[in-house]
Amino acid sequence: GKTYGGGGYLYPQFYDHSCPKAQEIVKHFVAKAVAEDPRMAASLLRLHFHDCFVKGCDASVLLDSSGTIISEKRSNPNRDSARGFEVIDEIKAAIEKECPHTVSCADIMALAARDSTVLTGGPNWDVPLGRRDSRDASLSGSNNNIPAPNNTFQTILTKFKLQGLDIVDLVALSGSHTIGNARCTSFRQRLYNQAGNGKPDYTLDQSYAAHLRTHCPKSGGDQNLFFLDFVSPVKFDNSYFKNLLAYKGLLSSDEVLFTKNAESRKLVKTYAYNQELFFQQFVKSMIKMGNISPLTGYKGEIRKYCRKVNAY
Ligand code: HEM
Ligand SMILES: [Ca+2]
């Protein structure tokens, strides 16, 4: 069905006549990229999230610094962390060849996020389309709106609510951490000095913590990589939620979903016991996130290159 947001609305058939092969092209290049690098599925899923939380799903995250643009790529959440830009470039080039000046970079990211989910074993859905691309970026928005892994439960929930998302969306979308990696620097505090008193975070299983310390030392190794879901790191399933029940969530922002709020704790349990319910809610919440303030109609533009705004 149609979903509403911003001025106009998005719908899955948006390119059916103007670029019937668009979805097929995205799927082809996402599959190729994930075959070469299984982590790419996670990276593309995250890119859509980091786009939508900053001025809506408008491909602002893809812009490089230039002229008046200060790139979101240098924000705290993205620096040394966000990846997949080359894959988006490759998809965009192929789509421009097939149907010039028609398919937005923002829609390519939404489709790539869906395809990445499906390719790793997650649910499928029709992606509402018709987003257009921004002519600017927001470094401060990227720094402020995207939750940090050491934020409190309340801060994280507030940041979701500012985007029109609720506690159910928060828990379901956090299930994305069923795939992909995090760097040592994103959770080190939990291992050594969670509350500033030189003690670890005791909501982290202590033998798992000891194992993590061997690869994430007190100093150094900032960029060392760890699976967000150590049980099935490249499979989109509900083991992320099972890990939370066992106090084996990697990030503090993961474990707080189980330890700091009764409603959220109940949702974590529900999804840990019932993967189907997780998948169903994940789809709803992804569509909701994908509908954050899209540019439609005559707003924004269809970029020719995703990394830069069009020249006139
Ligand atoms: C709830 C608040 C969230 C916080 C605090 C958070 C934080 C993080 C952090 C710190 C990382 C690791 C970054 C690094 O160390 O390089 C990460 C990775 C990831 N996040 Fe989140 N995230 C959140 C929600 C989400 C949402 C809503 C999605 C998608 C809808 C998502 C998808 C991912 C994926 C797939 C990865 C792995 C990326 C890769 O391996 O390249 N996250 N997240
Ligand atoms: Ca954006």
Side-chain angles (χ1 to χ4, degrees), residues 27-298:
K27 188 159 292 175
H28 170 80
F29 285 101
V30 171
K32 183 166 83 85
V34 172
E36 285 165 10
D37 169 12
R39 184 187 173 197
M40 193 51 72
S43 305
L44 292 170
L45 176 54
R46 185 175 187 231
L47 218 46
H48 180 47
F49 161 50
H50 282 204
D51 180 30
C52 293
F53 267 52
V54 183
K55 302 189 310 103
C57 312
D58 61 356
S60 59
V61 71
L62 300 179
L63 292 173
D64 286 337
S65 290
S66 78
T68 58
I69 308 274
I70 305 169
S71 179
E72 293 171 19
K73 296 177 186 181
R74 58 166 90 161
S75 73
N76 297 321
N78 290 335
R79 190 167 11 95
D80 300 324
S81 182
R83 56 202 292 281
F85 301 107
E86 300 77 12
V87 178
I88 301 293
D89 290 342
E90 192 182 18
I91 296 169
K92 178 63 171 172
I95 291 190
E96 279 299 305
K97 217 170 178 186
E98 176 73 21
C99 2
H101 204 74
T102 304
V103 181
S104 68
C105 301
D107 279 343
I108 290 173
M109 269 194 288
L111 289 168
R114 188 272 315 271
D115 292 342
S116 295
T117 303
V118 173
L119 274 166
T120 49
N124 198 355
W125 68 92
D126 290 333
V127 180
L129 299 167
R131 299 168 190 81
R132 290 165 64 86
D133 301 324
S134 74
R135 288 190 49 84
D136 58 358
S138 175
L139 178 63
S140 62
S142 186
N143 277 322
N144 298 329
N145 303 356
I146 298 170
N150 62 346
N151 281 162
T152 64
F153 176 84
Q154 261 321 316
T155 298
I156 295 168
L157 181 58
T158 299
K159 288 179 177 180
F160 269 66
K161 286 189 169 164
L162 280 170
Q163 304 293 339
L165 303 179
D166 61 24
I167 192 167
V168 177
D169 301 312
L170 165 60
V171 176
L173 291 175
S174 292
S176 298
H177 291 175
T178 177
I179 54 174
N181 301 351
R183 294 161 303 148
C184 164
T185 185
S186 295
F187 61 89
R188 171 184 284 124
Q189 197 182 339
R190 301 188 75 197
L191 304 179
Y192 301 100
N193 193 15
Q194 178 68 355
N197 58 2
K199 299 252 161 63
D201 180 351
Y202 291 113
T203 70
L204 177 60
D205 175 89
Q206 289 305 297
S207 67
Y208 186 47
H211 162 73
L212 293 171
R213 275 185 215 106
T214 63
H215 302 282
C216 183
K218 234 176 198 156
S219 69
D222 285 16
Q223 311 296 320
N224 291 355
L225 291 176
F226 297 77
F227 295 132
L228 283 159
D229 167 12
F230 75 99
V231 173
S232 53
V234 294
K235 190 159 172 38
F236 197 106
D237 56 17
N238 69 336
S239 67
Y240 165 81
F241 295 106
K242 293 179 182 170
N243 294 341
L244 298 186
L245 264 56
Y247 300 98
K248 289 176 179 171
L250 184 65
L251 308 176
S252 171
S253 52
D254 294 322
E255 203 59 59
V256 294
L257 300 177
F258 185 63
T259 57
K260 303 294 183 200
N261 177 280
E263 197 182 345
S264 148
R265 180 185 182 90
K266 200 172 161 196
L267 289 162
V268 168
K269 282 189 189 170
T270 300
Y271 301 149
Y273 297 134
N274 190 333
Q275 178 167 280
E276 199 44 46
L277 283 180
F278 164 46
F279 280 11
Q280 282 171 15
Q281 184 57 49
F282 184 79
V283 166
K284 287 187 195 162
S285 295
M286 281 296 288
I287 292 172
K288 204 165 154 189
M289 183 178 84
N291 209 40
I292 299 173
S293 330
L295 297 171
T296 55
Y298 294 102

